[in-house]
Amino acid sequence: MGLKAAVVLCIAIIVVVAVFGVPGFWTGLVGLGLCLASSSSRGYIYVAMSTIRRDLRCLFVILKVKKSMYHHLQSKHTVPELFIQTAVKHPNKTALIYEPTGESWTFGVLLEECYAVAHWALGQGWREGDVVALFLESCPAVVPLWLGLAMVGVEAAFINSNLRQDPLLHCVSVSGAKALVFGTELADALQEVSSSLEPDILLFCCGQEQKEIKSLHIHNLDELLTRSPKHKPNYSLKKDFNNVLFYIYTSGTTGYWICSFGVLLCSRYFRISAFGFHSFGLKSSDRLYNCLPLYHSAGTIMGIGQCLLFGMTIVMRRKFSASRFWDDCVKHQCTVILYIGEICRYLVAQPVRQSEAQHQVRVAFGNGLRQSVWEEFVRRFKITKIGEFYGATECNCSLINIDGKPGACGFNSRILPSFYPVRLMRIQENGEMLRDKQGLCVPCQPGQPGMLVGRINNTDPLRRFDGYVDKDSTNKKIAHNVFKMGDSAYISGDVMVMDDYGYIYFRDRSGDTFRWRGENVSTTEVEGVLSSLLGHADVAVYGVSVPGVEGKAGMAAIGHTGGSFDLDTFLINVKKALPSYARPQFLRLMSVVETTGTFKITKTKLQREGFKPQNSSEKLYFLDIRADRYVEVTSELYQDITEGRVYL
């Protein structure tokens, strides 16, 4: 028996006796040690012994979540049913707290509000499978809206509250919504597109100050829900654990042409929430601080899911505030915080305040926390545990950094690589996956950059890929003949690298996507928008690094010869066409944007040169957010930006 086979056999024995309570767990562990000690492959021995505790811990979490999922699958449970069970257990416990108003909802009240929404939906004549679009900023009312709709099989479509004009119209259109619910805070955005909305779409407004929009008939949803019954409706839901719960805005695109709604089943909602709960040692008695937008999966699944499924109290803030963050945590006795990497950087950059030493937070979990910020964040705020996770809303190849390895977004077991069928596969210079002589993808060895893929198995709730509303977008994320001939796998699109112990880290994104302000930005889509605005000029869009700033700032190189370039008009049009995070932070006006022999724009050199002034014949501009205009990048401004004296 080879070394690896012996290791796998011993680990399998350990897992069995540990999971099923068979005596001899420690005997098996000793046996594994002896097996490894007798081998001459010292490097493999060291890796195995160094990672076995991590791997077994994650294995137990996977088995625990999988067991629960199969139970709910067989029982045909839905997320609304699971929430009802949670609410009935402790109706008087606080479910949601909202800042800055301090408003709180108990589980009992939240359940009644869900029932009111369900009765309202039935009264509208909507049926299972009908869609209602939600266009609101984060607030407690969002939760009973989508959850109450789901109780009668109506599917919410979350729309990014940053979208305006054409992108907003596109998302409303592709959602196929029969109705749109919007918050009063976004009435102006709706006013801008009022003349282009489908004439038969119903409009409902919620919020304290109702606003009229000319030429549109708008219903006051708050009044309707006040009059709606608050008892369980007499309705038998036909959906089960593997049916659609809602559609959620995904940040893979700007939302201009390509559909940006991931399909969320009840099973996927449970899986994401449960992995967070069990992986990072969360408890029902915890209080979680959630200031992330609810149109994203992190905020509404990984965050709100802890409340709905596990009875945790959630403290919500409408928008992230670095200056109020720790004050809120202290005020509401929060023990867990949910972040994206940018949030942690902002907190570290804040001046020291008294509340940061008075909080009770023991766990911080989220994604995108880079190593340099990670270590300072833990040291300064004395957080006991950091939990990183990776995974797009719709993907089947999620990763978890379960043991707090700084900088890693997750790991792949070096001992049991086949138990969880997720791999880094080698890529070529053009971004395509490398294939062997048989036509199969080639797994990465430590240090080799690759793309994360997950084998698709639609009979396994952990391996499903349900895709997007748009079938073309779904097909683009699927590769065939990956692990073996005839199979299929989801392609993450993110370039990563693995170290000797299986920890996985992001590589710089130099392809079609970069991340800014917690959002993924599609360079091809932004290029299309800008080219159209500029009369089909050559445009190259890419992300550039800014010292001390999380993610990549968008930069556009524009082919412009002769005449003046109207920066003010350009910015006005860009603000109409693109959400704030997709707007170029830097502009580079060039006589010619270089292309390859096949007319593909070359971006590598442009990225390397960044936004530093170099060529006197070219002009570089920076989007000054506070002045709301593009200003020329001088040597002095470049230095101010790189040294952190200018706000991006």
Side-chain angles (χ1 to χ4, degrees), residues 425-435 449-451 495:
M425 296 296 185
R426 291 183 61 183
I427 55 174
Q428 305 175 65
E429 288 187 5
N430 62 3
E432 297 292 326
M433 286 189 288
L434 182 67
R435 302 272 179 170
M451 199 167 293
V495 180

Side-chain angles (χ1 to χ4, degrees), residues 566-608:
D566 192 333
L567 292 167
D568 293 334
T569 300
F570 175 77
L571 180 57
I572 289 171
N573 293 331
V574 164
K575 289 168 70 174
K576 291 179 180 179
L578 293 170
S580 57
Y581 57 82
R583 298 166 192 161
Q585 302 296 304
F586 297 96
L587 297 178
R588 180 174 178 177
L589 302 186
M590 312 172 66
S591 58
V592 177
V593 179
E594 295 180 6
T595 60
T596 65
T598 56
F599 304 104
K600 183 177 181 180
I601 293 174
T602 56
K603 299 183 183 179
T604 304
K605 182 172 181 288
L606 294 172
Q607 284 181 307
R608 186 170 60 248

Side-chain angles (χ1 to χ4, degrees), residues 487-499:
D487 71 358
S488 58
Y490 168 87
I491 313 169
S492 69
D494 289 313
V495 180
M496 302 175 175
V497 66
M498 178 178 65
D499 68 14

Side-chain angles (χ1 to χ4, degrees), residues 522-533:
S522 168
T523 60
T524 54
E525 286 194 25
V526 178
E527 285 168 354
V529 172
L530 298 185
S531 178
S532 178
L533 293 177

